[in-house]
Structures are given as structure tokens and as C-alpha cells.
Amino acid sequence: MVERVYLARPRGFCAGVVMAIRAVERAADAYRAQGDLVVYHQIVHNETVVERLRREKRVHFVEDLSEVEALKKRHRLAGVIVFSAHGVPPSVREEAARMGFTAIDATCPLVTKVHTEARRYAAMGYTILLIGDSAEHQEVKGTLGEAPEHTILVAVHTQVGKDPRLADPRTVEVPDPEKVLVLTQTTLSVDDTDATIEILKRRFPKLVTPARSDLCYATKNRQDQVKRLAPLVDLFLVLSSRHSSNGMRLYELARQLTRARRIDGPKDLEEAWFEGVRQVGITSAASTPEDLVQGTVAWLEERFPGLEVMEEGEWEKIQFREPRPLPPEAVLKARS
């Protein structure tokens, strides 16, 4: 019988996710009279968030700008596009501007930092080794797009072979070993990324690493708290979309340390999981809404009377400013 639940702090929405969702909600309201809002890619990788925005704010999500023409035949569009928190390649910004869209760039500032580093070092002739978990991840696409001729995608050392488009850090070759920079997707496993960078350092002694880690503070904080709580629990529940990189890394970490289950929300819970379980840990990805966590706690409280619920850790206090709309001419001028 479950006696205690440990709720990990921090969990759920990070500052970048809060900023991005608010940008979509406020833009949808501000431009409602002109028409519906378009968002390039899922604003964050959580189906509940995306579906709520579709239903409540009349938002249309596209994976390619070629989809816009079909949308125009069925809906009145406001002529405003929001770029997702994961970032987009410069080519997408330029194409949207040429189509006449006013742009709202909801890219997380920590991702923008990686983009800036890519441009800076590419201009100096460096080869960029970009560590990621998939060539299909939107964040990887965005960073690669900043300097495609100078960038080689590299797998995390534990994931070699899962995506053949990512090089093995143990065998990757570069044109000039004296001029190599490593950048990373912001949502990877902290331990695995550090180990991958160490492999690259041994191969390229003059490897340049950013002054500050590219890994997001929220990614590290959530992983650290799972490590702290795992020894206390018999089962860890990780609330995350299957498409959330940071959430799946949380789940993988929890599974390494104790029994763990990934769920989208309370509807996925099964009573059989809790046989012989006394202590349960709960955490959630940086794009998971808090009401899904509270719904999970309520499900447990209904079935285990007298359940003790304990909040463990500290909340983050970081906030990011919301982006301002940029007319198409300003976007094109900035790229010229």
C-alpha cells in the first residue's frame, strides 16, 4: 500500500516554456479580430498543451510553411506566425517573412545562446560538433541551420547507431583538429553529455567548449532532483510526452536508478503498478502542465487513504521576457 508520495521540485514548466506558451496565448488573443494564429512546430513538446491551444485559442500548428496555403482555404489567418521554443533555422524565418508573416520568436533564450555560438565560431572557420539525440529534433534542426556547412551532428555516446545521421564521438573526423568547437542540444542527459564531451576532448585536445554549459538549467535541475529522490522511492512516475527530449531523459535516468513508469497523465495509471509499493516519486518534464501532476496525486489519494504527500526541493525563480512581434521587413533586413 502506498504510504508516501514525494513530489520533486523543480518539475514541470521551465521559464522558456512559460514564455513560449504565454506568447502564443497573448498573440492569439491580440490578433483574434484579424484571424487565427499559426505556430511553426509544436510550441512545446506536450500534446495536452498543443491540444488546449488548438481548442481554446484557435491556433494552427504546421511542420512546414507549405501547409499554410491549405490553411488559408479553410480558415482566416491573422498573418502572424510564432516560432516554437525549440528554435528554427534562419531559412524558415526568411521564408515566413517573404510570405508576409509578422513573426513572434518564442525560441528559448538558452537555445538562442547556442545559435549565437554556432554563428560566431563558424565565422572563425571552426568545425562545430553538435551533440544531439536525433537529427529530427527541432532544436537540432534550428542550430544546424545556423551554420550547416561547418556543423557535424554527433550522437551521445550511449545512443550511437540509433540515428545513423549522427556521428560516433569515438570516430568522428574533422577537417582541422586545431579548430573544433562542441555545442549541445540543451535537453540531453547531463551525465551522458559530459561523458561524450570527455571522449571528444581526448580525440581533439584543443576542443573548444562554451564558457557556460549549453545544457539548460531546467534539464539539470530536474535530473539532479530525480537522483536525490530515487533512493527513497520504490517507484518513480515521470509525466512526459514521448516526444519530449528532456522528459524522456528524465524517464531514462529514473529507470536507471529505480523502478519507473512514464505517463502522459493520470489516465495512463494502472493499479497493478503499485502492488508492494510504499513510496512513490513524481516528477514531470519541462513542458508538462502542473494540473496533470495534481491529477496523478488525486488518483493516488483516492486509492490510498491517508497518503502523505511531500514536496521536496526548491522551485526555480528564473523568468524570461516575452518576444515582440517583428514585421516581415524587419526580419529580412536583420538577415541581410
Side-chain angles (χ1 to χ4, degrees):
M1 177 176 174
V2 179
E3 300 173 355
R4 181 177 295 121
V5 169
Y6 294 95
L7 293 178
R9 290 183 181 173
R11 62 178 180 271
F13 287 0
C14 63
V17 166
V18 170
M19 176 272 290
I21 294 174
R22 283 181 180 168
V24 172
E25 291 174 336
R26 293 183 182 179
D29 291 341
Y31 293 99
R32 184 175 297 274
Q34 295 171 231
D36 296 351
L37 189 69
V38 174
V39 176
Y40 189 88
H41 194 66
Q42 292 187 348
I43 187 65
V44 296
H45 286 157
N46 185 275
E47 285 79 3
T48 298
V49 171
V50 169
E51 187 51 42
R52 286 173 180 174
L53 290 170
R54 278 198 187 105
R55 185 177 65 249
E56 298 170 10
K57 299 294 183 180
R58 297 201 320 241
V59 172
H60 304 283
F61 294 89
V62 299
E63 293 300 320
D64 192 288
L65 291 175
S66 62
E67 299 171 41
V68 171
E69 287 305 314
L71 277 177
K72 285 181 178 178
K73 295 176 182 177
R74 303 191 307 271
H75 305 277
R76 185 165 58 93
L77 303 181
V80 178
I81 190 166
V82 180
F83 299 128
S84 81
H86 317 94
V88 297
S91 58
V92 171
R93 302 177 199 276
E94 292 169 16
E95 184 181 356
R98 286 194 297 270
M99 294 171 70
F101 276 105
T102 291
I104 298 175
D105 187 358
T107 302
C108 173
L110 302 180
V111 175
T112 300
K113 165 184 165 290
V114 180
H115 288 194
T116 302
E117 290 164 344
R119 292 194 302 272
R120 176 187 170 204
Y121 279 89
M124 293 190 291
Y126 276 73
T127 296
I128 299 163
L129 299 179
L130 175 58
I131 302 173
D133 58 15
S134 168
E136 289 303 313
H137 193 282
Q138 187 62 30
E139 184 182 331
V140 172
K141 289 181 178 180
T143 303
L144 175 63
E146 294 288 350
E149 315 84 9
H150 292 264
T151 303
I152 300 173
L153 301 183
V154 176
V156 176
H157 78 103
T158 55
Q159 306 291 320
V160 172
K162 289 194 173 182
D163 185 337
R165 293 165 294 183
L166 275 59
D168 185 333
R170 302 172 187 86
T171 59
V172 62
E173 297 292 340
V174 300
D176 182 358
E178 302 288 305
K179 299 185 75 172
V180 189
L181 167 76
V182 63
L183 298 176
T184 80
Q185 184 179 327
T186 63
T187 54
L188 303 174
S189 159
V190 174
D191 294 340
D192 288 347
T193 301
D194 287 346
T196 303
I197 292 174
E198 286 304 312
I199 292 170
L200 292 171
K201 283 180 176 178
R202 288 196 292 272
R203 297 208 54 228
F204 308 110
K206 293 193 176 181
L207 182 74
V208 175
T209 57
R212 290 166 48 200
S213 170
D214 289 336
L215 291 176
C216 158
Y217 74 91
T219 294
K220 183 179 187 304
N221 291 346
R222 281 152 186 73
Q223 291 179 18
D224 285 348
Q225 194 62 356
V226 165
K227 291 177 184 177
R228 292 189 190 102
L229 292 181
L232 305 178
V233 306
D234 306 304
L235 175 67
F236 227 122
L237 299 176
V238 180
L239 282 84
S240 171
S241 164
R242 194 178 299 276
H243 302 295
S244 168
S245 175
N246 80 86
M248 291 305 292
R249 302 297 83 76
L250 269 183
Y251 172 50
E252 290 166 1
L253 176 62
R255 198 170 51 180
Q256 291 169 11
L257 300 172
T258 187
R259 285 176 55 201
R261 295 280 184 173
R262 184 202 66 82
I263 59 174
D264 287 309
K267 62 181 175 55
D268 299 328
L269 292 164
E270 298 181 20
E271 293 190 15
W273 295 350
F274 300 93
E275 293 178 7
V277 171
R278 297 176 60 191
Q279 321 276 355
V280 175
I282 298 178
T283 189
S284 57
S287 52
T288 299
E290 178 63 15
D291 63 281
L292 298 182
V293 173
Q294 295 306 320
T296 299
V297 173
W299 187 96
L300 291 168
E301 288 176 328
E302 286 176 8
R303 287 158 179 80
F304 303 105
L307 182 71
E308 182 182 10
V309 179
M310 301 179 63
E311 294 270 4
E312 291 289 330
E314 299 293 331
W315 292 111
E316 294 153 343
K317 296 180 173 62
I318 295 175
Q319 295 181 328
F320 294 142
R321 289 185 297 179
E322 287 181 41
R324 295 177 296 177
L326 278 177
E329 56 271 18
V331 174
L332 293 172
K333 183 178 180 180
R335 301 306 302 182
S336 61

